[in-house]
């Protein structure tokens, strides 16, 4: 087991350490003339859980997608796990080995079984022997409570099951950081909980997580900080209690009133 | 359920009663369908009896011109008498067991490779089979060693030539087409430009032109004393031509794979080539099986065009046989009918295999 898993203490969220693993400073990005990220500054410590929310088009997905270089940025500096993310392909691959992403639409590989989905990256990227990779995959499938589906194809699973497989697939890379890009937005309502439960467990094990989501219950339960973005800027950033009880800016208040009103 | 009342009653009664009910429903359902049915029956009555009379009842297999002169039907005797010329062209008569054996070896390897879909244990052996098989075919065809007399490839012809040109063509055009398709999507401007120009230029000219250029123009650019074999030039022409078409087919497949698949591969730390090989291409190629096989079929038939540069493929040898004796010349319908039947057999098998492949790959993974 990894060191982070060892500190699991039931129900108590371990505090983040002081080591900084993600540094975003003055990052800017444009799509043509459209300024999607404006002078973003964000410092994430190891073990920290950050929830990013904001209206659609606010740049929140774009922000976390720049952290594993699915999106480029034009100015500023982003350092992940001590590696500067720029055009250097070696650096990009090094970061991607340590940072995994869970997508809104799962993006499982439809032509492979669940087990093959999970063992692919450990075998090809980590160069792990096949047998070891299968053991690892089964371990994480048990963790997300879906081991009995190992030999099915993704298309035969429900949305919630597919997203749990996607989380297990990321965990198989034993990443230092996990990014979640609206992981529950494409799910039927009755399946949201099974996915959030898995994410809460992960949070409690001390995984460094950045999560774009509108699940405010999740934010209240596990987040160390909540980041509110609008129109490409970080408008407000605070601990969850402060954020929900005492939002400072008008935009945050408006957003919270809209999503919490029903 | 109330809906049951609307369902037609199940057919009952004797077989003939059910047959009448069936045809009323399916063949004589309204005046238009009745008209179509009657028209079709009239057409078949007009077509089939004379065809059967010509092709079978009044036909002869007697392999002599005199035998053929006696019958009113088809003179299959023409094919019978010239079978070895049609099958093997001008390959030395005494040595024709060699192309026959080469053809059997080739078909054997092809069938084995295609069987890899059904029997995964075959897959590891596919590449070794080709690595061993191709030299065996080459030795059989060329000879010049192991006590086999040397046969220049300008004497090769007939069905083995068609099959070799097609098989080698497919084997090389496939990866080249893939590289071109990937090149066309590349973010590197030089690679992208080369791919686009290549594809557009080659697609923009007829195969005859490519073959003619390969055969007549290309040697002019070679330094004195260097010659490249005519058959090889034709083979390269066919490969280059087919690759351009396949590239566009593959590009269609690549575009149909959702963006999220590329992103998932990237985010797991896979390199470009790993992502392509393990994630993208298996999905993209599966999507384009029908148009890929389409390209293969049309390429197989296009190999008949090598006749313009003086190679005798299977269709060419039929013509050769027709010209071998002026008395046979009038039996061209039989000659071409035979050639068509063989081509149809090969192409239809490819089509059936492609349908089977699609079904087999879709098993178990309903989306």
């Amino acid at each position: 087991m990894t060191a982070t898993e060892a500190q699991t203490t039931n129900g108590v969220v371990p505090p983040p350490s002081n080591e900084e693993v993600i540094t975003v400073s003055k990052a800017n990005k444009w799509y043509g003339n459209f300024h999607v990220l404006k002078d973003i500054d964000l410092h994430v410590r190891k073990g920290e859980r950050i929830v990013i929310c904001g209206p659609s088009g606010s740049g929140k997905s774009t922000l976390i997608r720049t952290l594993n270089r699915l999106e480029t940025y034009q100015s500023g500096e982003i350092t992940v796990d001590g590696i500067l993310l720029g055009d250097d392909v070696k650096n990009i691959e090094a970061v991607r080995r340590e940072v995994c992403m869970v997508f809104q639409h799962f993006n499982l590989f439809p032509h492979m079984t669940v087990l093959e989905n999970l063992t692919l990256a450990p075998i090809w990227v980590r160069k792990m022997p096949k047998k070891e990779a299968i053991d690892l995959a089964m371990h994480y499938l048990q963790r997300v409570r879906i081991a009995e589906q190992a030999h099915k194809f993704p298309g035969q699973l429900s949305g919630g099951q597919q997203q749990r497989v996607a989380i297990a697939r990321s965990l198989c890379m034993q990443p230092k950081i996990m990014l979640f890009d609206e992981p529950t937005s494409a799910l039927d309502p009755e399946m949201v909980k099974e996915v959030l439960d898995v994410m809460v467990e992960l949070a409690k094990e001390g995984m460094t997580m950045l999560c774009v989501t509108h699940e405010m219950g999740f934010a209240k339960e596990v987040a160390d900080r909540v980041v509110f973005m609008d129109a490409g800027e970080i408008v407000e950033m605070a601990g969850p209690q402060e954020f929900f009880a005492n939002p400072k800016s008008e935009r945050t208040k408006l957003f919270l009133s809209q999503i919490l009103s029903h | 359920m109330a809906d049951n009342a609307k369902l037609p009653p199940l057919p009952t009664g004797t077989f003939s009663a059910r047959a009448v009910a069936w045809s009323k429903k399916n063949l004589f359902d309204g005046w238009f369908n009745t008209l179509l049915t009657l028209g079709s029956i009239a057409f078949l009555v007009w077509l089939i009896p004379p065809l059967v009379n010509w092709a079978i009842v009044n036909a002869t297999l007697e392999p002599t011109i005199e035998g053929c002169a006696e019958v009113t039907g088809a003179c299959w005797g023409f094919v019978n008498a010239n079978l070895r010329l049609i099958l093997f062209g001008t390959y030395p008569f005494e040595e024709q067991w060699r192309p026959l054996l080469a053809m059997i070896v080739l078909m054997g390897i092809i069938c084995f490779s295609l069987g890899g879909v059904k029997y995964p244990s075959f897959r590891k052996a596919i590449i070794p089979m080709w690595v061993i098989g191709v030299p065996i075919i080459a030795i059989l065809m060329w000879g010049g060693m192991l006590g086999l007399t040397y046969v220049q490839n300008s004497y090769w012809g007939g069905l083995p030539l068609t099959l070799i040109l097609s098989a080698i063509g497919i084997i090389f055009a496939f990866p080249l087409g893939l590289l071109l398709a990937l090149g066309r999507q590349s973010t590197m401007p030089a690679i992208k430009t080369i791919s686009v120009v290549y594809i557009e230029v080659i697609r923009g000219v007829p195969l005859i032109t490519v073959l003619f250029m390969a055969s007549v123009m290309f040697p002019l650019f070679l330094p004195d004393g260097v010659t490249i074999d005519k058959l090889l030039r034709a083979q390269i022409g066919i490969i280059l031509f087919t690759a351009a078409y396949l590239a566009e087919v593959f590009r269609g497949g690549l575009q149909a794979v959702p963006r999220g698949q590329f992103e998932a591969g990237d985010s797991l730390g896979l390199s470009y080539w790993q992502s392509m090989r393990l994630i993208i291409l298996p999905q993209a190629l599966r999507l384009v099986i029908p148009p890929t096989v389409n390209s293969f079929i049309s390429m197989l038939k296009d190999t008949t065009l090598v006749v313009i540069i003086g190679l005798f493929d299977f269709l060419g040898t039929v013509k050769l046989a027709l010209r071998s004796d002026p008395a046979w010349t009038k039996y061209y319908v039989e000659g071409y009918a035979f050639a068509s039947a063989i081509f149809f057999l090969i192409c239809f098998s490819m089509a059936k295999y492609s349908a089977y492949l699609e079904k087999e790959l879709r098993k178990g993974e309903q989306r």
Side-chain angles (χ1 to χ4, degrees):
Chain A
M1 287 307 96
T2 61
T4 46
E5 278 174 53
Q7 3 172 309
T8 307
T9 42
N10 241 350
V12 183
V13 180
S17 74
N18 284 326
E19 187 191 334
E20 194 166 306
V21 284
I22 296 177
T23 312
V24 181
S25 58
K26 294 256 172 287
N28 281 283
K29 179 181 176 67
W30 287 267
Y31 285 127
N33 286 328
F34 181 55
H35 202 168
V36 252
L37 296 179
K38 296 176 187 162
D39 281 335
I40 300 289
D41 273 301
L42 182 66
H43 302 265
V44 182
R45 287 171 297 157
K46 187 163 183 249
E48 209 174 6
R49 290 144 295 252
I50 293 189
V51 165
I52 303 171
C53 59
S56 83
S58 59
K60 52 196 192 303
S61 281
T62 309
L63 173 62
I64 72 161
R65 286 160 59 89
T66 56
L67 300 179
N68 66 348
R69 195 69 180 187
L70 288 183
E71 301 279 353
T72 57
Y73 57 96
Q74 273 92 43
S75 75
E77 224 175 71
I78 297 180
T79 309
V80 177
D81 194 29
I83 302 165
L84 177 70
L85 265 181
D87 292 326
D88 189 331
V89 181
K90 281 253 154 24
N91 279 3
I92 295 171
E93 284 179 2
V95 167
R96 283 175 180 168
R97 278 195 290 273
E98 305 307 331
V99 180
C100 274
M101 181 172 257
V102 174
F103 299 89
Q104 183 178 357
H105 297 286
F106 333 132
N107 298 354
L108 294 175
F109 307 131
H111 60 299
M112 298 178 185
T113 63
V114 165
L115 192 61
E116 286 165 345
N117 264 277
L118 265 66
T119 54
L120 183 80
I123 290 173
W124 290 91
V125 180
R126 293 262 189 250
K127 311 291 177 206
M128 193 180 276
K130 192 172 174 195
K131 205 185 157 302
E132 209 176 303
I134 291 176
D135 291 344
L136 184 75
M138 289 312 293
H139 167 73
Y140 283 114
L141 281 178
Q142 259 145 22
R143 286 268 309 273
V144 300
R145 294 177 286 278
I146 206 164
E148 70 284 0
Q149 316 278 13
H151 296 285
K152 288 195 180 166
F153 286 93
Q156 297 166 306
L157 305 182
S158 73
Q161 291 174 322
Q162 290 193 46
Q163 193 60 298
R164 283 186 282 147
V165 171
I167 293 172
R169 178 174 71 177
S170 291
L171 290 173
C172 280
M173 281 298 282
Q174 299 178 305
K176 291 182 179 156
I177 300 164
M178 283 191 62
L179 308 172
F180 292 83
D181 189 2
E182 308 208 26
T184 56
S185 304
L187 296 176
D188 290 334
E190 76 272 21
M191 294 171 183
V192 170
K193 187 174 177 296
E194 65 188 57
V195 172
L196 285 179
D197 284 349
V198 169
M199 290 168 61
V200 169
E201 275 173 42
L202 264 180
K204 288 177 178 170
E205 285 162 14
M207 174 67 79
T208 310
M209 295 166 72
L210 280 86
C211 185
V212 172
T213 184
H214 290 157
E215 296 294 337
M216 291 303 136
F218 173 77
K220 281 176 191 161
E221 188 175 353
V222 302
D224 296 300
R225 274 189 289 166
V226 181
V227 173
F228 173 69
M229 286 183 74
D230 190 18
E233 299 174 297
I234 292 182
V235 176
E236 192 160 343
M237 181 152 54
Q241 276 183 329
E242 172 86 3
F243 182 84
F244 291 109
N246 223 343
K248 303 243 168 359
S249 96
E250 286 306 313
R251 282 193 276 180
T252 315
K253 283 177 196 162
L254 178 67
F255 175 75
L256 286 177
S257 74
Q258 281 165 342
I259 64 163
L260 297 176
S261 64
H262 53 141
Chain B
M1 293 277 279
D3 281 354
N4 273 351
K6 288 180 196 156
L7 288 174
L10 284 171
T12 49
T14 62
F15 174 77
S16 61
R18 276 182 288 143
V20 169
W22 181 88
S23 48
K24 247 186 194 161
K25 181 166 165 276
N26 293 292
L27 300 176
F28 300 99
D29 171 27
W31 67 268
F32 184 70
N33 277 349
T34 306
L35 206 65
L36 274 184
T37 304
L38 293 177
S40 306
I41 291 172
F43 177 72
L44 293 175
V45 167
W46 173 78
L47 180 74
I48 291 179
L51 193 65
V52 170
N53 279 337
W54 176 80
I56 299 167
V57 180
N58 297 331
T60 179
L61 267 172
E62 176 80 35
T64 57
I65 293 166
E66 295 74 35
C68 277
E70 282 167 20
V71 296
T72 54
C75 166
W76 300 120
F78 160 70
V79 175
N80 196 0
N82 295 292
L83 191 61
R84 286 178 64 170
L85 178 61
I86 292 175
L87 284 181
F88 302 113
T90 51
Y91 204 92
F93 196 78
E94 295 303 313
E95 304 286 336
Q96 284 179 357
W97 62 272
R98 282 159 53 183
L100 180 65
L101 191 58
M103 215 158 50
I104 292 168
V105 172
L106 182 63
M107 296 312 283
I109 309 175
I110 291 173
C111 291
F112 183 87
S113 309
L114 299 183
V117 177
K118 184 84 184 169
Y119 307 101
S121 52
F122 282 16
R123 286 176 205 167
K124 276 204 178 99
I126 290 176
I127 290 178
M129 287 278 271
W130 283 96
V131 171
I132 300 166
V134 170
I136 291 177
I137 293 168
I139 291 169
L140 281 170
M141 294 300 289
W142 261 299
M145 60 170 77
L146 306 175
L148 299 171
T149 48
Y150 175 68
V151 179
Q152 234 179 305
N153 64 17
S154 50
Y155 292 115
W156 300 9
L159 202 53
L161 185 71
T162 296
L163 292 178
I164 289 173
L165 281 173
S166 309
I168 305 288
I170 288 172
I171 290 168
F172 284 93
F174 192 92
L176 182 59
L178 260 187
L179 288 178
L180 285 166
L182 295 176
R184 191 165 188 165
Q185 297 209 314
S186 169
T187 48
M188 286 176 265
I191 290 178
K192 190 185 166 94
T193 311
I194 293 171
S195 306
V196 171
V197 170
Y198 176 91
I199 291 168
E200 296 306 337
V201 168
I202 300 282
R203 271 204 310 175
V205 297
L207 178 59
I208 284 203
T209 323
V210 175
L211 289 174
F212 200 69
M213 297 260 284
S215 166
V216 181
M217 303 271 291
F218 184 60
L220 299 179
F221 297 108
L222 289 175
D224 283 344
V226 179
T227 53
I228 297 181
D229 186 80
K230 183 158 76 174
L231 179 62
L232 184 62
R233 276 179 271 148
Q235 180 75 75
I236 291 173
I238 288 170
I239 291 169
L240 296 182
F241 188 79
T242 308
Y245 279 86
L246 283 177
E248 287 297 277
V249 169
F250 294 152
R251 188 165 67 97
L254 288 171
Q255 282 173 348
V257 176
R259 231 185 108 67
Q261 295 289 310
F262 291 84
E263 291 180 349
D266 283 350
S267 75
L268 286 171
L270 294 164
S271 71
Y272 173 81
W273 290 109
Q274 285 174 335
S275 269
M276 277 297 159
R277 191 160 79 78
L278 300 165
I279 300 168
I280 307 302
L281 290 179
Q283 297 182 59
L285 295 181
R286 200 168 293 194
L287 289 167
V288 295
I289 291 171
T292 305
V293 174
N294 216 5
S295 289
F296 288 167
I297 288 176
S298 78
M299 176 200 150
L300 185 121
K301 292 185 294 182
D302 282 351
T303 57
T304 54
L305 292 172
V306 296
V307 81
I308 68 135
I309 58 170
L311 295 169
F312 290 99
D313 75 302
F314 184 55
L315 199 60
T317 52
V318 171
K319 284 184 199 154
L320 211 59
L322 287 169
R323 269 185 272 136
S324 64
D325 185 332
W328 286 127
T329 310
K330 62 178 169 183
Y331 298 111
Y332 61 90
V333 175
E334 287 83 347
Y336 287 125
F338 177 67
S340 308
I342 300 289
F343 272 108
F344 176 79
L345 204 68
I346 300 172
C347 296
F348 189 65
S349 316
M350 284 164 82
K352 286 310 264 185
Y353 181 77
S354 114
Y356 163 79
L357 187 62
E358 277 181 76
K359 208 177 92 209
E360 200 64 24
L361 290 178
R362 219 180 293 122
K363 257 183 204 167
E365 55 167 304
Q366 322 100 330
R367 288 192 206 197

